[in-house]
Amino acid sequence: MSPGMGLSFTAMNPNSIESTMKESRVFPPDEEFSKHAHIRSMEQYRALYEKSLNDPEAFWGEMADALHWFAPPREILVDERPHARWFVGGTTNIAYNCLDRHLSSLRRNKAAILWEGEPGETRTLTYHQLHREVCRFANVLRKLGVRTGDRVAIYMGMVPEIAVAMLACARIGAPHMVIFGGFAADAVRDRINDSKASLVVTCDGSWRRGQVVPLKAIVDKAIAECPSVRHTVVFKRTGERVNMEPGRDHYWQEVIEAVNANSTPVPVESEHPLFILYTSGTTGKPKGIVHTTGGYMVGTHVTSKYVFDLRENDTYFCTADVGWITGHSYVVYGPLLNGATVLMYEGAPNFPDQGRLWQLCERYGVTIFYTAPTAIRAFMRWGEQWPMKADLSCLRLLGSVGEPINPEAWMWYQRVIGNARCPVVDTWWQTETGAIMLSPLPGATPTKPGSATLPFFGIEADVVRKDGTRCAPNEGGFLVIKRPWPSMARTIYGDDERYQKYFTEIPGVYFTGDGARRDDDGYFWLMGRVDDVLNVAGHRLGTAEIESALVGHRAVAEAAVVGRPDELKGQGLVCFVTLRPGFAATRELKQVLAEHVASEIGRFARPDMVRFADALPKTRSGKIMRRLLKEIAGGGETQGDTTTLEDLSVLAALRASDDE
Ligand code: WT7
């Protein structure tokens, strides 16, 4: 079975989605676990959930009170849908809340970040030390001309300094824009140009599976076409020889010596932008999702606390890269707001062998482990012998995020990694939601393998038909959120109209783009995306961006990209391509085009298959019919309506085309 299973639009009734999955196992929470948990029973969950919906002002006001505000909020929520403002009138600073707030308590000398490099070096930064580094780097940013409101791009590997850079930006109110270190130069360039960042923080290189990713060289290539960039700061990690342009490029280790460690945090308005993070949409260029300060802070703080049931002596390990939203919310901000100890690992999970993550769990005494289904399926394939070699008895809670987890992977995770002892929390959320929206609470919620279970406090989620009416139990439909929540995205950078589309698909509610059903207990079962967005190894990829990379190659006339089920990655990319006159459809050209996508977008987006075609199936209005291509890519028969197809013979030719 593959994730996204059970999702199919019925030709007969395009208004709803047919679900085919049946799963009836239920795991009640462990009694011992519940006894010590923040939320200990379903009664407690339901009471608090009801309060959060019936009196949101009181509920979120209390949640905000747990954090420091320089000026307290005057109003909890101003709901002007599609826009909402939270904690209005309040001023705060999220870096202050992540760091300074802990310095007057026993947490002062507690480890904030435990770090291990891929080659094996280790570092520990206590809250006091992390605070010091952040203050110094904030002063570096100031010295290089960064002012409150200026955007700072961060393109680094997984070193503690990536968190230092983000927190330093937050300290002075300069929105950060982190670009995942796996992106290629063109993607880096486009994101910098869209956000008009004035400074780029990077590394000379970063370690990945024993190889160096030459980050600074990629930045050089990118910013040759970025007029907004005035400076770069380069953290020396691998010791590469890199090109340093005098006046523009500065080594982190040198500029940090020239500043002191005194830095007053800038109190910013609750709605001051905290960061921009690009994510894929269905059409056109990536969307710069904008999150603001107060609501995001409250949302990540409270979800980390309750979903991971954080305790003072936990060692928390989230395997996500900081370059994705999971890394923002649940490697950096959420855990540090809670004063937790975070383990951060630089490299690949299978280097030097497939036991690396379990070695890390054993050696650092990891208690909470949070990863993605695509990783879990890889662990399954590598075999039980790897986790068996390590002592995983410290683990007490497991989490999953990024795509639907198939029940088999859930069961394996629970049995082999959790030793049938640890609760598993399947957390559903998105870059746009900022924080976890649907998830079990580990001491309260009975879990069902493959279900993200129930909504978090304050989240009014539902499954509806296209006309907005509620689906019956077990009827598949569209997952929507019916009221604003604190950590929701506020806009798309430079394109608020595009942001408003989230609220017009089904008027008045937030449209997630995911299909889902609720079972008889009200549990949510996610069924995958309903739009053209693909989910490859937990990474959201827009077909449009990949298609535009393909047609950017001189051999390509037209391209259409679809996903097909992939056992490991969830979805794999299949590209249908028509060639320009004079280019021969050779096997070599397929390789070249696959490489071309990898080098334009990043290796993680490398297509599994390139197929040549004489023509692509189109409607009379010229729209490519992806549904048909999807069916062909999946190896199935094309079903359903083809009456809008302009030229039926195209289909037969496509099916007959070579597909090695
Ligand atoms: C999309 C959001 C949010 C963290 C990482 C991805 C899918 C995410 C789950 C889950 C089923 C999930 C959805 C969603 N997704 N978590 N637990 N069960 N699907 O963030 O790149 O913004 O992608 O990932 O399709 O819409 P993202």
Side-chain angles (χ1 to χ4, degrees), residues 279 325-326 400-405 426-432 512 514 526 529 535 538 540:
T279 191
I325 190 69
T326 308
S400 170
V401 62
E403 44 174 320
I405 180 165
D426 174 8
T427 62
W428 178 90
W429 57 295
Q430 309 175 297
T431 304
E432 292 88 338
T512 66
D514 280 7
L526 275 298
R529 302 287 306 180
N535 192 322
R540 243 164 93 177

Side-chain angles (χ1 to χ4, degrees), residues 566-602:
D566 181 282
E567 281 211 349
L568 217 55
K569 294 186 289 187
Q571 283 186 299
L573 293 182
V574 179
C575 308
F576 292 88
V577 166
T578 63
L579 295 177
R580 285 178 189 280
F583 289 92
T586 61
R587 191 181 298 217
E588 289 69 46
L589 186 55
K590 287 185 178 181
Q591 291 297 325
V592 169
L593 293 178
E595 255 328 290
H596 179 71
V597 173
S599 71
E600 294 270 300
I601 314 255

Side-chain angles (χ1 to χ4, degrees), residues 233-405:
V233 179
V234 183
F235 180 74
K236 277 189 223 172
R237 163 64 186 126
T238 53
E240 304 301 290
R241 266 189 77 92
V242 295
N243 157 55
M244 295 292 281
E245 209 130 294
R248 186 193 72 177
D249 301 341
H250 317 269
Y251 275 118
W252 176 301
Q253 283 88 343
E254 284 167 17
V255 281
I256 204 88
E257 288 306 324
V259 294
N260 66 34
N262 306 320
S263 142
T264 319
V266 175
V268 295
E269 295 287 329
S270 177
E271 286 298 335
H272 186 75
L274 173 63
F275 65 84
I276 305 171
L277 186 63
Y278 285 83
T279 191
S280 298
T282 41
T283 50
K285 56 177 190 175
K287 312 189 253 197
I289 301 296
V290 177
H291 281 286
T292 59
T293 305
Y296 178 83
M297 175 174 84
V298 171
T300 53
H301 175 252
V302 64
T303 49
S304 300
K305 174 173 169 182
Y306 290 117
V307 173
F308 301 117
D309 192 48
L310 279 174
R311 292 182 207 161
E312 207 55 69
N313 56 358
D314 273 318
T315 303
Y316 167 92
F317 183 19
C318 167
T319 65
D321 193 286
V322 170
W324 304 110
I325 190 69
T326 308
H328 280 57
S329 300
Y330 298 111
V331 175
V332 180
Y333 289 113
L336 296 181
L337 284 167
N338 280 283
T341 296
V342 176
L343 172 62
M344 192 170 167
Y345 167 57
E346 178 184 41
N350 54 353
F351 188 89
D353 62 38
Q354 285 96 320
R356 185 64 182 268
L357 297 183
W358 317 126
Q359 285 303 317
L360 284 162
C361 285
E362 175 179 326
R363 277 187 288 111
Y364 294 89
V366 170
T367 56
I368 302 171
F369 182 76
Y370 190 31
T371 196
T374 185
I376 297 167
R377 290 190 297 269
F379 304 152
M380 289 169 76
R381 208 178 55 163
W382 294 339
E384 292 182 22
Q385 69 273 22
W386 295 104
M388 301 282 267
K389 270 189 221 172
D391 177 0
L392 299 181
S393 57
C394 282
L395 285 175
R396 67 178 195 94
L397 175 62
L398 303 175
S400 170
V401 62
E403 44 174 320
I405 180 165

